[in-house]
Amino acid sequence: MTRRRDRSAALIAGLICVGLIIAIALVSLLYQPYDPSDTSGGRLVAPSLAHWAGTDQLGRDLLTRLMMGAQIALVAGGGSVVIGGVLGIVLGLGAAFATRWLDDTLSAVLDILIAFPTLLLAMLVIAAQGASLGSAVLAIGLAMSAIVARLVRILAKRVLAQDYITAARTSGSSWPSIIGHHILPNIWPTVLVSLAIQFGAAVLAEASLSYLGLGAPPPNPSWGSLLQQAQATVYTAPLGAIAPGILLVLLVVGMNLLADGLRDVGDPTQRRRA
Amino acid sequence: MAVYLLRRLVFLLVSLLLASAVLFALLRLLPGDPANALLSVGATAEQIEAARQSIGSDLPLGQQFVAWLGHIFTLDLGTSFISGVPVGPDIASRLVVTIPLTLISFVLAVLIAVPVGYVAARRSHRWYGMTLSGVSQFGLAVPIFWIGILLISFFALTLRALPAGGFPRQDWADPLDAIRSLTLPVITITIVMTASITRYVRSATLDVLGSDYLRTARSLGASFRQAMWHHGLRNASVPVVAILGIELATTFLGAVVVESVFALPGLGNMLLTGIAQHDYPVIQGVLLVSTFLVLIVGFIADVVQRLIDPRLRGNMTGQRAAVVR
């Protein structure tokens, strides 16, 4: 992954993977092969022309549920990234501008938050709020905000130490205008790459929670809960236990490749070997 | 070092206290009394009253928090609402499954990841170097429970070589039986953790391979082996040790999920049952113990990292996670 060509190849491959999942989700908004709660298909029917991916143990069309799962995965990833991104950028900028004492305190709190595992935090929120997609997204987003805040704080401090910030200050620019004109444009590429990777991690975290029965309650067709249901019948109906996993991997690998590609596009001066 | 140790210890204590406070606060966010959650599992009014008294939720919040801290210090985590079993000893008996599962997987993952990551970096332009790094990239994107399911369907259901789940009732009385039960779960976690650690080893090795000091050592006549041994290893190990603390915590979380895949009676399953039954003392106890374990591991990793690399002055904690996990 040294050369620019490899990077743009990663970007294109990532766009294809993620685009495919987005396309599936969009199609499922407009058209579903079957009603997702329609159980008339017969239990565990093998793939056929009527049911391309077969049916699950309740007789629901698997293809329909897989397609709806794309919506949930994207909402989980997108929701967490929005919460984590907005909160993290605000907190990180705050810490970068804060006084020494406040900055130290904020950094220590962020360190503790980051040490606190996301999955445990999510279980805590879910134990208090009840299992739902909202609880899961909230918890993942909160955990993510600490990581983003730490990154933004370091990046923003680096920019603030530059001479052109002093120049902008002496020529009368206000802090909000400096944030808008100098800090955000400078840190944005790196933050975006981080958010793309977090997106994939958030999708995996939501799938784990749903697998454990702590995501959106049934009949929610999250890929995680599809895998949980399919586990009991993996021997007789293997497709149900394979397809959701492949889609999950496709989305997460896609986001990681996208992040890899964005790293170069967003910042041509940065040539990393890793 | 002594000053650092002291400061880091204070930081650990503050984190433990803060974590306890957050845990307490979040669980008390439950609308109404935590004991009321029992209504949904069909408890009678007397049972709820007894539960309320046993956790002291009829007291003012401040008193409750002090009492909760007191209980933590005396290692008294209360008794389960549902089974009436004391939570502390129950957790201890679950750790007999969870801790071996976590540690064995972790040690295996490190033992595999270090040479694999090294080769992936040293031969990064050969096909097998690229393949190794590609596979590890891929391993990061695979949900851990899915690997478990696939392993079950192949080794347990198709080959019938290993049990698909469960753990011997008499724990480790028959070690061979216990090991057989843990084999597939350990492989599952090891696969994911190896992928993750390999990436860090690879990038740390790449940094060292491209460093000026290594080139200087070589130009002064040291063989590659000598230069790597005297200068490379220690430098490469710093970032790796830094993330090992986090990776161990992640392995522990992986164990929580994988226990569910293989129906192992560990901490993870205890927590899930607790959440499903609204068993407040169980949820509180398991989350507290897990959080403390994670924070203490972080402390140990930071201290070790400091021992290896004296340059890390002014940094309280080492490198932390870059993604949610």
Side-chain angles (χ1 to χ4, degrees):
Chain A
M1 292 280 182
T2 330
R3 285 152 302 173
R4 191 181 186 98
R5 205 181 54 217
D6 296 337
R7 289 278 190 225
S8 42
L11 188 69
I12 291 168
L15 280 175
I16 291 174
C17 295
V18 176
L20 190 69
I21 303 292
I22 293 177
I24 293 176
L26 287 179
V27 168
S28 76
L29 283 176
L30 302 171
Y31 166 79
Q32 296 147 1
Y34 289 85
D35 186 273
S37 54
D38 176 9
T39 57
S40 62
R43 290 176 183 201
L44 294 174
V45 172
S48 63
L49 276 179
H51 297 278
W52 286 9
T55 61
D56 69 1
Q57 69 274 43
L58 293 177
R60 292 172 294 195
D61 180 54
L62 191 60
L63 184 65
T64 306
R65 290 173 64 72
L66 284 171
M67 288 167 66
M68 310 272 291
Q71 291 178 26
I72 294 193
L74 290 175
V75 166
S80 314
V81 164
V82 167
I83 295 177
V86 170
L87 210 61
I89 291 173
V90 170
L91 272 176
L93 284 179
F97 278 100
T99 55
R100 176 85 199 271
W101 183 85
L102 190 62
D103 183 28
D104 283 352
T105 316
L106 261 175
S107 312
V109 171
L110 290 181
D111 267 357
I112 296 174
L113 268 176
I114 291 172
F116 202 92
T118 310
L119 212 58
L120 289 187
L121 185 72
M123 287 181 174
L124 189 62
V125 172
I126 285 158
Q129 303 270 306
S132 72
L133 186 59
S135 300
V137 168
L138 182 69
I140 300 169
L142 281 179
M144 196 188 290
S145 69
I147 297 168
V148 175
R150 226 171 95 119
L151 179 69
V152 168
R153 172 179 166 272
I154 297 170
L155 294 173
K157 285 201 130 176
R158 208 174 286 162
V159 177
L160 276 175
Q162 301 289 326
D163 287 339
Y164 57 77
I165 300 292
T166 323
R169 275 304 279 169
T170 23
S171 63
S173 300
S174 65
W175 282 123
S177 121
I178 287 181
I179 292 179
H181 284 112
H182 298 294
I183 299 184
L184 286 181
N186 264 304
I187 69 173
W188 190 237
T190 315
V191 174
L192 197 66
V193 169
S194 163
L195 287 180
I197 296 173
Q198 308 281 355
F199 187 107
V203 169
L204 280 183
E206 189 279 330
S208 293
L209 286 171
S210 285
Y211 174 79
L212 296 173
L214 301 175
N220 116 73
S222 159
W223 291 332
S225 38
L226 291 187
L227 283 171
Q228 195 268 329
Q229 289 153 16
Q231 189 181 345
T233 54
V234 58
Y235 197 59
T236 41
L239 189 64
I242 293 173
I246 291 177
L247 289 172
L248 264 171
V249 172
L250 201 65
L251 180 55
V252 180
V253 166
M255 283 316 291
N256 289 346
L257 286 172
L258 208 59
D260 222 24
L262 281 176
R263 200 169 280 151
D264 202 44
V265 174
D267 186 2
T269 58
Q270 197 179 354
R271 289 268 196 271
R272 288 191 26 171
R273 273 171 310 147
Chain B
M1 188 67 206
V3 176
Y4 170 75
L5 203 63
L6 199 71
R7 280 187 53 187
R8 187 61 183 81
L9 206 61
V10 170
F11 183 76
L12 173 69
L13 289 178
V14 173
S15 324
L16 293 179
L17 199 68
L18 201 76
S20 324
V22 169
L23 214 59
F24 176 83
L26 269 174
L27 284 178
R28 291 298 153 113
L29 280 183
L30 285 165
D33 195 286
N36 284 345
L38 283 176
L39 273 177
S40 56
V41 285
T44 63
E46 292 91 68
Q47 284 171 320
I48 290 178
E49 190 49 41
R52 187 166 293 156
Q53 282 188 355
S54 82
I55 58 165
S57 60
D58 43 354
L59 300 171
L61 268 184
Q63 267 184 47
Q64 281 185 49
F65 184 61
V66 174
W68 148 244
L69 285 183
H71 286 314
I72 296 175
F73 275 115
T74 53
L75 298 175
D76 170 18
L77 297 174
T79 56
S80 159
F81 281 166
I82 308 291
S83 62
V85 176
V87 174
D90 196 11
I91 289 178
S93 76
R94 305 291 189 133
L95 287 177
V96 169
V97 177
T98 306
I99 296 223
L101 181 60
T102 306
L103 287 184
I104 298 173
S105 315
F106 181 70
V107 170
L108 280 179
V110 173
L111 288 180
I112 301 172
V114 168
V116 169
Y118 178 79
V119 171
R122 181 95 172 86
R123 304 280 179 245
S124 61
H125 294 293
R126 300 276 184 81
W127 64 267
Y128 53 91
M130 288 183 199
T131 310
L132 286 177
S133 100
V135 168
S136 79
Q137 193 83 31
F138 190 74
L140 277 182
V142 180
I144 191 165
F145 53 89
W146 191 44
I147 296 183
I149 296 174
L150 295 181
L151 286 178
I152 289 178
S153 74
F154 187 67
F155 287 102
L157 301 178
T158 309
L159 295 184
R160 302 199 176 274
L162 289 160
F167 197 71
R169 201 164 279 281
Q170 49 305 33
D171 283 342
W172 290 85
D174 181 357
L176 223 67
D177 230 23
I179 289 172
R180 268 174 58 84
S181 303
L182 286 186
T183 305
L184 283 184
V186 163
I187 296 176
T188 307
I189 305 175
T190 305
I191 290 176
V192 172
M193 294 319 297
T194 303
S196 173
I197 300 172
T198 297
R199 282 183 68 241
Y200 290 104
V201 175
R202 176 176 179 271
S203 96
T205 312
L206 276 178
D207 282 342
V208 168
L209 288 177
S211 66
D212 291 339
Y213 57 79
L214 198 78
R215 200 183 48 203
T216 308
R218 293 277 283 136
S219 65
L220 289 174
S223 69
F224 178 80
R225 202 173 287 251
Q226 280 171 331
M228 204 59 195
W229 184 253
H230 288 296
H231 306 284
L233 280 184
R234 184 148 159 169
N235 277 300
S237 63
V238 174
V240 175
V241 170
I243 58 98
L244 282 189
I246 295 169
E247 295 294 297
L248 181 54
T250 313
T251 315
F252 173 74
L253 287 178
V256 167
V257 177
V258 166
E259 274 172 15
S260 180
V261 181
F262 291 92
L264 293 172
L267 214 55
N269 262 334
M270 183 175 174
L271 178 60
L272 288 175
T273 318
I275 292 177
Q277 299 179 328
H278 302 281
D279 198 341
Y280 178 80
V282 168
I283 302 172
Q284 184 176 264
V286 175
L287 284 177
L288 187 78
V289 170
S290 318
T291 313
F292 276 26
L293 284 178
V294 168
L295 289 175
I296 291 169
V297 165
F299 167 75
I300 296 171
D302 281 347
V303 172
V304 172
Q305 191 188 351
R306 196 57 174 236
L307 285 173
I308 304 177
D309 189 356
R311 289 171 305 183
L312 293 169
R313 281 194 209 114
N315 285 4
M316 187 68 117
T317 51
Q319 192 182 331
R320 288 287 191 219
V323 290
V324 289
R325 75 218 125 87

